[in-house]
Structures are given as C-alpha cells and as structure tokens.
Amino acid sequence: MLNIQNLNAGYGEMPILRAINITIAQGEIVSVVGSNGAGKSTLLKAISGIIKSSGTITYNHESLHALAAHTIVKRGVVHVPEGRKIFPEMTVLENLMMGGYLHQKDRQTNLERVFTLFPKLAERRNQLGGTMSGGEQQMLAIGRGLMGNPKLLLLDEPSMGLSPLFTEVVFGAINTINSSGVTVLLVEQNVYQSLKISHRGYVIETGSIVLTGTGEELLNNKDVKKAFLGM
Amino acid sequence: MLLFLQALLSGTLTGGVYALAGIGMSLVFGVMNISNFAHGDLMMLGMYFAYFAFTLLHIDPYVSLVLIMPTAFLFGFLMEKVFISRVIHHPHQNQILLTVGLGLIMSNTALLVFTSDPKILTTTYSSSAFNLPGGIYLSVPLVISFLITCGITAILSLFLLKTRTGMALRATSQNREAAQLMGINVAKMSGIAFGIGTALAATAGALIAPTYYIHPLAGHSFLLKAFTICVLGGLGSVAGAGVGGLIIGVVEAMSSTYISSDWKDVVVFVLFLAVLLLRPQGLFGKKGEQ
C-alpha cells in the first residue's frame, strides 16, 4: 500500500532522515519506535507532504512527492499530528466537521462512527476544543482524522502525556479502527504498548532504520529490551 | 452631560468605521500571521475610488460599495498571489519591509496621479444631521456609514461561523499545519483572507470619504489606528478588533471634546502603549498567543 524507498528529509539545511526504507501492506498496523529526536515525526510529515523530502514515497502505485499536503489527504492518507493540534477555539463538533472538510456527504455516517468509538466526544460536542483535557483532545484529534475517510491513518505519538487509563483507551481505539479496515502507521515512544498491537515494527535511531521485524520479534529482541524497555 | 452623550454617540459612529478597518487587518493577521502595513493605503485607494465614482460617474459613495468591494477583493487576492505569498514563511521583518514597500508604492503613485491637493467629496447630505431630542446632533453620513458597517460585520461573522470556507479560514487561523492536514488549501485561504482584508479596508475608506479630506497620504494615520485597534483587541481576533474600533472612536471623540482635538492622537497612542504594557495579549487575546 505504502512503499518508501531511500527517503531523506529534514528542516532547511539540517538533515534528519537518512535513506529510510519502509513498506506497509493493506490492513496492517505498523509502528515506528524510537527515542525522542530520532526522526519519527519528520517521517510522518514527509509522508503527508508537510515538509519536503527526497527519495520515493509511493502510495497505491502513485508517487506522493509531487502532491501538495491538501491533495495527499484527498487520497486517503490522513495524518493525526503530534501534540493533537486541535482547533482550540472551535467546538468538538466543529473540529470534527473540519476533519470531514473534504467529505461533506459522508459527514453523518462518519460522525456516528466517531461517537460510537469515543462516546465522550458526543457528550462534549458543544465544548470548545481548547478547554478539554489532554486525553480528550487526543480522542478528538483521532476522531477528527477518522472524519477524513482514512485508508491509511498516520498517528504521531497518540499516547504522549496521557494517563495510563487514557493510554489504554487510545490503543484500544487504534485496534478497533484497524479492524474496521484502516491501515495504521503508528509512531510512538511507548515502545511496549505499540509493538504489542502492531503486526510489524521498525526501530529508528538518529534518522536511520536500525531494526525491523514483527511486533513480537522486536519485543523479544535483546537490544530493544535493553534500549527501550529497561530489561 | 449633553456634551458627554454627544461625544459618546459620535465616537461610537466613527468607531464603527475604524472597527471595519481593524477587522480587515486582524483577519489577515489571524490567517496569515502577517501584519499588513499597506492596510492604510488600501483604505486611501478606497477613498479615491468612491471619490471618482461620485464625481465622474455620479454614483453615490454608499452605492459605489457594490463596485468597490468586489474590485478590492480581487485586487487583494492578486496582491497576495503575486507578492505576499512569497514571504509567508519568512521572518516578520521581511514581511514588514514588503508590505511597507507596497504601501509606499501605492501612496506615491497616488501622489503622482492624483497630486497632493486634497479632494473633498460633497454629497447633498454631507453636512446634514439628525436632530435628536435633547439637542444631540448625529451626522447623516456617519449614521449611514455606521449602519452599513454593522451590516457588513454581521454578514462577515455569519460567513466565518457558518460557511465551509469561513470555517476553513478560522481553522487556518487557529492552526495552519492542522488545517493543511484536514485537506484545506491554506495557500488559497491566504488569498481569500487578504482579499477580504483589502475589501474591508477599501470599504472603510469609501465610508469615511464623505466626511474626511481625501489625500494620497491619508492612509498613514488610518494605518496607525487600524494597527492600534488590532493590538487593543488582541491580534488576530475579529471580535476583539470590532470592540477595539469602537473604543478608539469613543476615546478620540472624548479627548477632542474634553482636552483638545490636537491631542486626540496622543491620547489614542497613550492607550496603545498602556495596553502593550499592561495587557500585551490585547483585551480579548489569550495569554501565550503570539
């Protein structure tokens, strides 16, 4: 579904990603794990067209490189950014409507789908986004992403700063979303939780992929255990 | 008491038009994070447009808004595409240089073409006034301007709150990157915002044309007012700019009445400095916003 070959990207003169190769098949949850500053967010920004990159990114046999960010969304590649980035002065409902900006016709069905997944958002529909807690904002950010009819959902650190309870809710939701047929690329610092729900994973270190395998293989890998799980 | 009421009402009426200019500037700042220092000169062009529509085509200045608004929108939209879009990701000082430069080109072209002789747009109702009970006079052109301003502000608010494009503009202003990820073409939104900002500036110019001297450099004092209004209301806040405009209008009228009309600009800028000192985020801005 998504095929990334020899991807280099960075900000201005500063290179962050070096020769990244990643493939994602339809229906998978793939996670990219690594420490802070390894280039995880940069990878997702390069895919969704927020920053420029070199190399090839092919999505369903089409190169994403020549496309603007707002066109890439149209193809079904939806990016839920790091730090939620919800619209603080819009209500929950308005935030969700912005998520469905390109899909006005499916709005009602998508809205019901989001409210079933996160009933809390239905309760809070008229509350301003900026006044919600971090965990609620994360649900809103994911819900807003789902309003965009994703085929491939890019999730950037969805568990960042969340309580253990909300972390459970978010990872549970990712599983549910995936079982409904959405392919997921998950970027996380929470290595254990994300590898546990992933079909496959990549370990990224200072801008390069250093290790890859199934979620279970990586969880049992000696280096992963030592570097990330403190075992 | 009579004097006070008179100053309050006249100030409110003038403030309404200032508010329109301030709202335009604030919208541009909110969506694009650019301070448009050509805003006053765009107002000046609106004044001349109304003047020539009146003297050459015999169109009433308030009716000429029907022509001015779409023309100015298009002018602003193109100006954004050709010039402003090039500096949108650049540091503020580059943006300021560009918009100040564009403003200078406009005002100096106006000096060349229209000469430095001030023009006066005299309609049949220019100096007539509504006579309220209690001895208060309200200038007819100011009342009409105020009502038109209220109408335009109401339409703009509905547009921003209810329409798909209006919501996309608000989303872009609240988080540009996230707006892009929703599939919003933020470059197009910048063009629309700048077009609306220009249309509002030109409209404000046309609305004050019957009550002010029309001069190529008239824009400069209005730029300072519009900027003060934006800072007062909180940069980027459309509602704040509306209230800020009314405050500036009333403060000006009060200081002309009770101190001297020579001092009204001084009072306005003292207020401006006081806001910067005590509440730099503006009356309606939130702490921590740029």
Side-chain angles (χ1 to χ4, degrees):
Chain A
M1 184 178 211
L2 188 78
N3 191 5
I4 298 175
Q5 293 295 327
N6 196 24
L7 180 79
N8 294 281
Y11 303 93
E13 295 293 297
M14 191 170 59
I16 305 272
L17 297 179
R18 293 187 211 99
I20 298 272
N21 297 311
I22 286 177
T23 54
I24 299 169
Q26 178 103 36
E28 277 188 310
I29 299 181
V30 172
S31 55
V32 174
V33 296
S35 58
N36 206 4
K40 304 186 300 294
S41 296
T42 312
L43 172 66
L44 293 195
K45 284 182 185 173
I47 298 172
S48 62
I50 295 278
I51 58 166
K52 290 204 176 77
S53 55
S54 67
T56 55
I57 304 175
T58 342
Y59 169 73
N60 286 343
H61 310 294
E62 181 189 19
S63 169
L64 293 186
H65 256 130
L67 304 180
H70 60 92
T71 316
I72 293 175
V73 190
K74 230 176 262 180
R75 300 288 190 273
V77 181
V78 176
H79 180 173
V80 178
E82 183 182 7
R84 0 275 191 215
K85 295 208 165 74
I86 54 146
F87 303 115
E89 282 159 62
M90 287 185 171
T91 64
V92 168
L93 195 62
E94 284 179 314
N95 265 282
L96 292 174
M97 274 158 73
M98 291 325 294
Y101 181 73
L102 298 173
H103 306 277
Q104 308 277 317
K105 264 186 273 168
D106 308 329
R107 188 190 278 170
Q108 214 45 49
T109 1
N110 282 341
L111 207 57
E112 276 158 31
R113 181 180 170 201
V114 171
F115 285 159
T116 319
L117 188 63
F118 300 118
K120 194 133 205 170
L121 293 182
E123 285 167 35
R124 299 281 170 96
R125 67 176 76 198
N126 293 319
Q127 192 177 332
L128 285 185
T131 63
M132 303 211 300
S133 76
E136 290 163 352
Q137 289 192 7
Q138 188 59 58
M139 291 187 207
L140 179 56
I142 296 176
R144 189 178 64 174
L146 290 177
M147 294 294 291
N149 286 351
K151 296 191 186 82
L152 173 61
L153 189 65
L154 312 175
L155 293 172
D156 196 344
E157 304 257 6
S159 79
M160 188 167 61
L162 299 192
S163 67
L165 188 71
F166 268 124
T167 307
E168 285 298 323
V169 172
V170 164
F171 278 105
I174 296 170
N175 252 331
T176 314
I177 293 164
N178 178 247
S179 357
S180 72
V182 179
T183 311
V184 176
L185 174 57
L186 174 65
V187 147
E188 262 294 346
Q189 282 190 64
N190 190 333
V191 176
Y192 178 72
Q193 289 270 23
S194 48
L195 287 179
K196 214 172 69 177
I197 64 163
S198 296
H199 300 101
R200 289 186 307 111
Y202 293 86
V203 178
I204 189 169
E205 234 169 58
T206 55
S208 305
I209 301 288
V210 291
L211 205 58
T212 176
T214 64
E216 204 166 332
E217 281 167 10
L218 289 179
L219 271 177
N220 293 322
N221 181 288
K222 233 183 353 184
D223 295 328
V224 172
K225 277 184 171 170
K226 199 169 153 202
F228 299 109
L229 304 173
M231 289 192 257
Chain B
M1 189 59 196
L2 183 64
L3 208 60
F4 176 81
L5 274 180
Q6 176 72 54
L8 183 70
L9 286 173
S10 317
T12 308
L13 293 183
T14 323
V17 184
Y18 291 168
L20 203 57
I23 289 170
M25 193 163 183
S26 215
L27 184 72
V28 167
F29 185 88
V31 173
M32 305 170 69
N33 198 14
I34 282 182
S35 301
N36 177 18
F37 285 99
H39 203 71
D41 295 297
L42 293 167
M43 271 181 86
M44 178 272 297
L45 291 183
M47 292 172 97
Y48 273 101
F49 197 127
Y51 174 77
F52 285 115
F54 183 70
T55 50
L56 301 179
L57 306 168
H58 308 292
I59 303 175
D60 183 273
Y62 299 120
V63 178
S64 69
L65 288 179
V66 182
L67 295 174
I68 292 177
M69 281 197 269
T71 314
F73 177 86
L74 211 64
F75 185 74
F77 187 84
L78 290 176
M79 193 166 139
E80 198 278 336
K81 284 283 156 272
V82 179
F83 299 106
I84 313 287
S85 60
R86 293 170 200 276
V87 298
I88 195 150
H89 297 296
H90 287 242
H92 279 310
Q93 54 267 38
N94 295 11
Q95 302 167 348
I96 292 169
L97 278 176
L98 177 67
T99 57
V100 167
L102 287 169
L104 282 175
I105 291 172
M106 284 185 241
S107 57
N108 283 279
T109 309
L111 269 173
L112 202 68
V113 180
F114 307 137
T115 74
S116 62
D117 295 332
K119 306 263 193 298
I120 299 170
L121 198 170
T122 320
T123 56
T124 47
Y125 49 82
S126 269
S127 50
S128 52
F130 293 112
N131 207 340
L132 296 192
I136 293 173
Y137 293 92
L138 292 181
S139 143
V140 171
L142 278 182
V143 171
I144 302 176
S145 300
F146 185 77
L147 293 178
I148 293 176
T149 298
C150 292
I152 292 174
T153 313
I155 293 169
L156 181 72
S157 307
L158 275 178
F159 167 74
L160 288 175
L161 287 174
K162 297 288 171 207
T163 67
R164 184 169 179 258
T165 309
M167 286 183 72
L169 278 171
R170 276 162 62 215
T172 309
S173 128
Q174 288 174 33
N175 197 318
R176 198 176 175 87
E177 188 182 308
Q180 246 177 318
L181 296 177
M182 305 296 111
I184 295 169
N185 183 345
V186 291
K188 196 168 121 196
M189 289 304 140
S190 294
I192 293 174
F194 208 84
I196 295 176
T198 305
L200 292 178
T203 303
L207 285 176
I208 50 170
T211 43
Y212 274 82
Y213 285 118
I214 301 164
H215 186 270
L217 304 180
H220 295 178
S221 70
F222 288 117
L223 168 67
L224 284 173
K225 261 173 215 152
F227 194 63
T228 309
I229 290 165
C230 288
V231 172
L232 196 64
L235 276 164
S237 159
V238 168
V243 179
L246 293 178
I247 293 176
I248 296 288
V250 171
V251 166
E252 263 194 17
M254 290 292 172
S255 37
S256 327
T257 309
Y258 290 106
I259 309 172
S260 145
S261 59
D262 296 337
W263 280 81
K264 66 177 190 189
D265 283 347
V266 177
V267 175
V268 167
F269 292 120
V270 167
L271 185 72
F272 176 66
L273 291 176
V275 169
L276 280 184
L277 213 61
L278 302 173
R279 212 180 144 77
Q281 72 273 32
L283 298 177
F284 297 86
K286 286 192 187 64
K287 269 217 161 81
E289 276 179 354
Q290 255 192 316

